[in-house]
Amino acid sequence: MASHTVIPISKGWTFKQVDDESSKFLPVAQFPTNVHLDLMHHNLIPDPFVGKNENAVQWVGERAWVYKTSFHSPQTSGEKAVLAFDGLDTYATVVINGKEILKTENMFIPERVDVSNFLRSGSQNILEITFESTWTVGKKLVEKYPEHRWGCWNGDVSRLAVRKAQYHYGWDWGPMLMTCGPWKPINLEVYESRISDLYFTTDVDKSLKSAEVVAKADVEGEASQVTFEISLDGTTVSSETVEVVEGFATATFRTQSPALWYPATYGKQPLYLLTATLLTGGSELDSTSKRFGIRRAELVQRKLEDAPGTSFYFEINNIPVFCGGSDWIPADNFLPRISPQRYRDWVKLVVDGNQVMVRIWGGGIFEDKSFYDACDESGVLIWQDFLFGCGNYPTNDDFLASVKREATENVKILRHHPSIVIWAGNNEDYQYQESEGLDYDPEDKDPSSWLKSTFPARYIYEKLLVDVTKELVPDTYYHFGSPFGGKDTRDPTVGDIHQWNVWHGTQEKYQNFDKISGRFVSEFGMEGFPNIKTIDSYLPDGKKDPDRYPQSLTVDFHNKADGHERRIALYLVENMQYKFEPFEQFVYCTQLMQAECLASAYRLWKRQWKGPGREYCAGALVWQINDCWPVTSWAIVDYYLRPKHAYYTVKRELAPITIGLKRSVTSTPANKYTRVDVKTVHKIEMWASNLTLERRTMSVRLKAWDVVTGRETHSKSLHEGFVLEPNRSVEITEFEVPVEKEAADEELRIVVAAYLIENGTQVARYVNWPDPLKYVHLQKPKDLKVKISEEGNAVEISAEVPVKGVALWAEDDGIVFDDNCVDVVPGEIVKIGVKGLRSGEEGKLDVRYLN
């Protein structure tokens, strides 16, 4: 019998517009591809990421396009020939040699078509794929179902009717670019028998001393045996050959002292390789492999001590994990051009930023294999949303059937990844239901009645997806949506919340994040401008563009958030003195504001991770880590992988050991009749967080300086043997701001720094400033020193007065810093690791700070 042969259909592709007689077939830019990439390649449309060109290319999404190629089919004698389409975007009609073989309506479903009777064996074959306008189809579907309560946040309501990446319709951080095309690989497969799916379950004993792996293979065609082999680092661990019975084979492996997979910073990420080989009469017909990790993963929801509600924390290999991390959106509007290396670069930024979890957001895609592989290898936990977001989805029969296939196929594709620890039904659809007053009775447990309600998609989240995940990934927690829990989606005591009362909602001060916490905060954020180089990249004339200023039409066009002008202005004016000119300084100020805001959230919420039974906040995922185009958004790293200052402040707050300070001011009248005789106290609370699994003993030190003169006004050792218990935060002390003269408002000019010292080495440092910074008389340093070390691996910064947010910048993207936006105090040298510089090249650096 012949073995399984896979032939990529990736050469010779051409494309053209269907309804334009003057249009001629042109070569594609790449393969896989989409129409915008191909049109740009031939200069038929401008780059939509530049200027306001997004407007100029909207016609593309309202036209039909055809892709065509020819390929040679090998001689076959009884084998089956299958065309496998990994992804077609979205409404496609596929024709082979003049015969229609497939119509698609879902971007996320891989399709397989038996073309044995349509191929010209041993000769050339013509493959043609016509893509309808998804925009037009969606609008017609809305008209077809007028009884449904169509409505959504972001984009046109017609997006709800089609199974296409929802962000393609535009979002409050991204453009509307209605793509189409063969966005994933296409292969011709020739075989008599094959392994159609390889999967497994793992069960790790609570003691972690043993594990059971049940390997399973679904077989298509005739075959007698499957050999399963498990290996680790190239060495075979176990192997067994079993019979194929009714198209199925399985083997159970038990191992002692398994190599366990851990999240980053908690241990290593060993990945076993499971290989299945299909045999008949000793001949190999097919072979396939999947990597996997052995680990216990559980979402713990139990009563808490001294607090209402329940916990919501992930426990990996019996270790409770504080999930500091971020939300992930697609990294480009044009998905085929994201390379595997670019995905790995993004994941490296996550890991280097001390983040342990990413949430793959429901308005995007099931991500590329290389993204999940990189997370597996790096120890990044994944929260995976199903692909629904911010709307009221329909539930007609065709839609439900498509969604079920979509969910089933993609869970099968992804279920072997140890990084995925939770699936969630949607993003903010329950919030939309609440905001619009759609039907939802938690006491109604009848799924058929949900379909008749004004919120019929409840059936998808609480029935259809429950059934799919229960069957295919029974050991992975399924969550109805994000956010979900408690009496409603805003309940901070149960489940997860999206905390948007900073920026959106009531627009709280970011210094008070601890007052608006939740058991698990899976979204929160603050906008900041991108790197000035990124802004120059989208301005048509770059640095010379007349729109190169903060409030220009082009700059505003590259911010899609409603009310962004007012919100950025509000948080700037509340917190710091800022300048519109030079533009670089304004960009710096917005990034500093974002950095201060997000650091405050992580610092204050991590403080609430207080150990067993007191996991009051167990996770914080910032919206968002990345962008899909050059834009001002909530991202902490911009489209070109250039970190904003918030990336570094978040990195510092998520370090394994940190120290925190928070100021508060209380005023107490001497009696109820006076408004004059009032005692005002400026207090500082101090705590430390230890996310390691070891008990650590620290010295705790405190210093203070006058922000105007730079004079050190206070220095004290608070503890010489303070114990930090493992995997929790602990309160250290509370004290009044150290001043030399009472009732002289000295508190507004005192900068305080706290340190943790272990065996003579500083392991944590935090500098606390009077709030808000706009009231502080910040000085322009006369002796700010920025020096590259002799080895060229660090930049050393010092000053004679306290300096807020010293930020380094370089024109050359090859100069990379491992920290930035640091606070400098007199008598100290702050070192920032750097790559791409040599000693004496200080002239390549630009330095900014708040003044």
Side-chain angles (χ1 to χ4, degrees):
M1 295 178 73
S3 61
H4 185 182
T5 302
V6 178
I7 303 167
I9 310 298
S10 57
K11 305 295 184 183
W13 282 96
T14 58
F15 81 107
K16 73 166 192 164
Q17 186 177 331
V18 170
D19 54 354
D20 182 353
E21 292 183 0
S22 65
S23 180
K24 299 185 184 303
F25 278 103
L26 296 170
V28 298
Q30 59 178 74
F31 198 86
T33 190
N34 71 31
V35 67
H36 290 79
L37 292 174
D38 298 328
L39 290 169
M40 281 192 287
H41 179 68
H42 291 282
N43 296 315
L44 295 175
I45 60 170
D47 185 344
F49 288 6
V50 174
K52 299 181 288 295
N53 289 341
E54 175 195 347
N55 294 335
V57 303
Q58 290 306 307
W59 65 272
V60 175
E62 296 189 21
R63 302 291 187 270
W65 301 88
V66 60
Y67 283 78
K68 184 169 71 172
T69 191
S70 62
F71 62 93
H72 184 270
S73 172
Q75 291 282 359
T76 58
S77 55
E79 300 99 329
K80 179 186 283 189
V82 170
L83 275 174
F85 303 89
D86 288 357
L88 299 175
D89 174 15
T90 294
Y91 285 88
T93 301
V94 183
V95 174
I96 184 80
N97 298 327
K99 301 290 185 180
E100 181 181 310
I101 60 169
L102 175 67
K103 291 183 81 72
T104 72
E105 57 181 19
N106 190 314
M107 176 179 175
F108 310 116
I109 296 178
E111 300 281 2
R112 299 178 60 84
V113 184
D114 186 344
V115 293
S116 305
N117 297 327
F118 302 104
L119 290 184
R120 298 166 182 161
S121 181
S123 62
Q124 290 295 108
N125 298 268
I126 306 296
L127 177 61
E128 190 172 280
I129 310 174
T130 301
F131 293 90
E132 294 180 69
S133 163
T134 301
W135 170 265
T136 304
V137 173
K139 299 296 279 187
K140 291 178 178 179
L141 284 170
V142 171
E143 290 180 345
K144 184 178 178 180
Y145 298 101
E147 69 281 0
H148 180 64
R149 283 271 296 269
W150 298 97
C152 65
W153 299 323
N154 295 296
D156 189 80
V157 295
S158 62
R159 70 175 174 82
L160 305 172
V162 298
R163 296 311 296 150
K164 176 176 175 60
Q166 301 287 271
Y167 82 106
H168 285 167
Y169 283 77
W171 221 264
D172 54 6
W173 36 257
M176 181 180 179
L177 293 167
M178 295 294 288
T179 59
C180 73
W183 74 291
K184 284 192 172 185
I186 300 173
N187 295 299
L188 174 65
E189 300 183 25
V190 180
Y191 58 90
E192 291 185 41
S193 301
R194 73 178 185 112
I195 297 171
S196 59
D197 196 12
L198 174 62
Y199 52 110
F200 49 85
T201 59
T202 59
D203 183 15
V204 181
D205 185 77
K206 181 70 173 175
S207 70
L208 307 181
K209 294 181 180 179
S210 64
E212 178 182 89
V213 179
V214 180
K216 305 171 185 180
D218 293 337
V219 177
E220 178 186 346
E222 296 297 322
S224 58
Q225 295 177 316
V226 171
T227 296
F228 293 102
E229 180 185 88
I230 296 177
S231 60
L232 180 64
D233 298 331
T235 300
T236 299
V237 175
S238 301
S239 180
E240 185 176 351
T241 300
V242 298
E243 300 298 312
V244 176
V245 180
E246 298 182 351
F248 178 73
T250 184
T252 299
F253 300 94
R254 294 177 177 83
T255 180
Q256 301 298 314
S257 303
L260 296 176
W261 184 96
Y262 285 88
T265 75
Y266 289 91
K268 296 181 179 179
Q269 295 79 43
L271 292 171
Y272 289 84
L273 184 68
L274 173 63
T275 301
T277 304
L278 190 61
L279 305 168
T280 284
S283 298
E284 180 178 322
L285 304 178
D286 192 17
S287 183
T288 189
S289 300
K290 287 185 177 178
R291 296 190 306 174
F292 69 98
I294 296 178
R295 62 15 172 201
R296 285 179 62 90
E298 182 182 0
L299 177 63
V300 180
Q301 299 181 83
R302 66 186 181 199
K303 290 184 178 180
L304 293 160
E305 297 177 11
D306 305 321
T310 54
S311 64
F312 193 96
Y313 70 88
F314 292 88
E315 191 172 85
I316 310 296
N317 299 332
N318 302 335
I319 300 171
V321 176
F322 181 85
C323 289
S326 50
D327 296 287
W328 168 269
I329 66 171
D332 204 313
N333 274 89
F334 304 135
L335 295 163
R337 71 178 175 189
I338 310 175
S339 68
Q341 185 57 52
R342 192 168 183 87
Y343 275 117
R344 291 184 177 277
D345 291 343
W346 274 114
V347 174
K348 186 176 187 300
L349 277 168
V350 170
V351 175
D352 289 349
N354 292 322
Q355 298 185 34
V356 76
M357 176 177 271
V358 292
R359 171 176 165 253
I360 299 178
W361 168 74
I365 62 172
F366 297 106
E367 274 299 344
D368 187 79
K369 176 181 181 295
S370 56
F371 182 86
Y372 296 98
D373 285 347
C375 289
D376 290 345
E377 295 162 9
S378 304
V380 176
L381 301 176
I382 291 176
W383 173 312
Q384 177 70 59
D385 282 358
F386 285 98
L387 304 184
F388 306 90
C390 299
N392 187 28
Y393 286 84
T395 54
N396 56 74
D397 290 346
D398 290 342
F399 190 85
L400 287 179
S402 183
V403 165
K404 185 172 183 180
R405 279 195 67 206
E406 170 192 320
T408 299
E409 292 299 325
N410 285 283
V411 171
K412 285 182 176 180
I413 290 169
L414 297 175
R415 59 183 165 180
H416 66 286
H417 290 286
S419 49
I420 299 177
V421 294
I422 183 174
W423 291 81
N426 64 80
N427 171 78
E428 294 186 355
D429 289 0
Y430 286 98
Q431 283 192 324
Y432 183 83
Q433 169 266 316
E434 292 169 357
S435 74
E436 297 300 310
L438 303 178
D439 298 337
Y440 190 85
D441 179 3
E443 301 304 316
D444 180 4
K445 305 300 182 183
D446 177 16
S448 62
S449 72
W450 307 339
L451 292 170
K452 302 170 186 175
S453 73
T454 57
F455 183 52
R458 180 182 181 185
Y459 181 89
I460 298 174
Y461 315 136
E462 298 185 31
K463 171 59 176 168
L464 189 154
L465 295 177
V466 169
D467 292 344
V468 169
T469 54
K470 186 175 181 180
E471 176 187 354
L472 299 178
V473 282
D475 296 331
T476 304
Y477 185 80
Y478 172 73
H479 195 46
F480 289 163
S482 180
F484 190 88
K487 62 182 183 293
D488 57 37
T489 60
R490 299 177 299 277
D491 187 343
T493 68
V494 180
D496 69 314
I497 63 168
H498 291 183
Q499 184 47 269
W500 281 108
N501 281 322
V502 169
W503 181 268
H504 290 303
T506 55
Q507 298 182 349
E508 302 291 328
K509 296 180 184 298
Y510 60 65
Q511 290 85 350
N512 297 329
F513 265 122
D514 51 346
K515 298 177 182 177
I516 51 173
S517 181
R519 299 292 172 249
F520 195 107
V521 186
S522 47
E523 279 192 23
F524 68 100
M526 174 59 67
E527 281 203 349
F529 273 56
N531 193 297
I532 192 67
K533 290 180 286 186
T534 297
I535 296 172
D536 290 340
S537 78
Y538 71 64
L539 291 171
D541 292 327
K543 293 181 179 181
K544 297 180 180 180
D545 198 285
D547 264 8
R548 195 180 188 268
Y549 64 94
Q551 297 165 297
S552 73
L553 179 58
T554 306
V555 170
D556 265 359
F557 188 83
H558 283 254
N559 188 335
K560 299 297 187 179
D562 287 342
H564 65 264
E565 303 94 338
R566 296 189 300 276
R567 288 173 170 83
I568 289 176
L570 169 67
Y571 283 100
L572 278 173
V573 79
E574 274 191 347
N575 287 286
M576 61 188 65
Q577 302 176 48
Y578 64 96
K579 300 173 180 140
F580 283 109
E581 295 180 355
F583 192 10
E584 288 82 353
Q585 184 68 14
F586 180 79
V587 169
Y588 162 82
C589 287
T590 70
Q591 288 199 14
L592 176 63
M593 175 189 68
Q594 182 192 37
E596 290 287 293
C597 171
L598 301 185
S600 173
Y602 282 101
R603 183 164 58 251
L604 295 171
W605 288 337
K606 195 171 70 166
R607 183 185 186 183
Q608 298 175 8
W609 176 253
K610 289 186 174 293
R614 303 172 69 208
E615 301 92 352
Y616 305 128
C617 181
L621 307 179
V622 66
W623 186 269
Q624 65 227 54
I625 180 68
N626 63 322
D627 277 325
C628 63
W629 75 313
V631 64
T632 297
S633 78
W634 298 274
I636 62 174
V637 181
D638 73 29
Y639 171 75
Y640 293 106
L641 289 91
R642 294 167 177 149
K644 300 180 188 178
H645 297 329
Y647 172 82
Y648 299 105
T649 60
V650 169
K651 175 181 178 178
R652 293 198 291 270
E653 294 300 337
L654 289 178
I657 295 179
T658 57
I659 190 166
L661 300 171
K662 182 182 179 180
R663 293 195 189 207
S664 62
V665 181
T666 59
S667 296
T668 307
N671 57 66
K672 65 182 180 180
Y673 302 107
T674 184
R675 60 184 177 85
V676 176
D677 189 7
V678 177
K679 180 177 176 58
T680 299
V681 177
H682 296 255
K683 285 188 176 181
I684 295 181
E685 301 165 4
M686 178 190 290
W687 68 94
S689 300
N690 175 15
L691 296 186
T692 76
L693 304 180
E694 299 174 352
R695 196 170 184 260
R696 309 286 284 268
T697 302
M698 302 284 171
S699 298
V700 183
R701 296 178 188 170
L702 184 72
K703 290 185 178 182
W705 296 263
D706 186 307
V707 74
V708 175
T709 66
R711 184 171 60 87
E712 184 178 299
T713 61
H714 186 84
S715 180
K716 185 177 182 180
S717 176
L718 300 183
H719 296 278
E720 287 302 327
F722 191 84
V723 174
L724 301 184
E725 296 293 342
N727 204 8
R728 71 196 67 183
S729 297
V730 60
E731 301 300 310
I732 298 177
T733 189
E734 180 182 284
F735 55 93
E736 293 187 19
V737 175
V739 295
E740 294 178 319
K741 185 182 295 184
E742 297 287 341
D745 288 337
E746 288 186 7
E747 293 88 353
L748 296 179
R749 55 189 286 168
I750 297 299
V751 175
V752 178
Y755 308 83
L756 292 177
I757 312 294
E758 185 178 40
N759 299 322
T761 299
Q762 178 181 300
V763 296
R765 168 187 183 263
Y766 177 65
V767 181
N768 175 271
W769 300 72
D771 260 333
L773 285 166
K774 65 180 180 179
Y775 293 152
V776 182
H777 296 165
L778 297 168
Q779 302 298 297
K780 186 173 183 178
K782 298 177 182 178
D783 192 22
L784 178 62
K785 295 179 180 177
V786 178
K787 185 175 185 299
I788 301 171
S789 66
E790 291 186 8
E791 299 80 6
N793 60 0
V795 180
E796 300 172 349
I797 308 170
S798 63
E800 85 287 2
V801 292
V803 186
K804 178 65 187 175
V806 178
L808 305 177
W809 183 89
E811 183 72 40
D812 183 358
D813 279 336
I815 298 172
V816 179
F817 306 104
D818 70 6
D819 198 2
N820 216 329
C821 198
V822 295
D823 294 341
V824 176
V825 291
E828 296 182 13
I829 296 175
V830 177
K831 294 184 179 181
I832 293 178
V834 67
K835 294 179 180 177
L837 284 175
R838 292 180 294 182
S839 181
E841 292 185 327
E842 288 83 2
K844 292 184 177 182
L845 297 177
D846 182 57
V847 182
R848 295 197 177 273
Y849 51 86
L850 188 66
N851 73 322

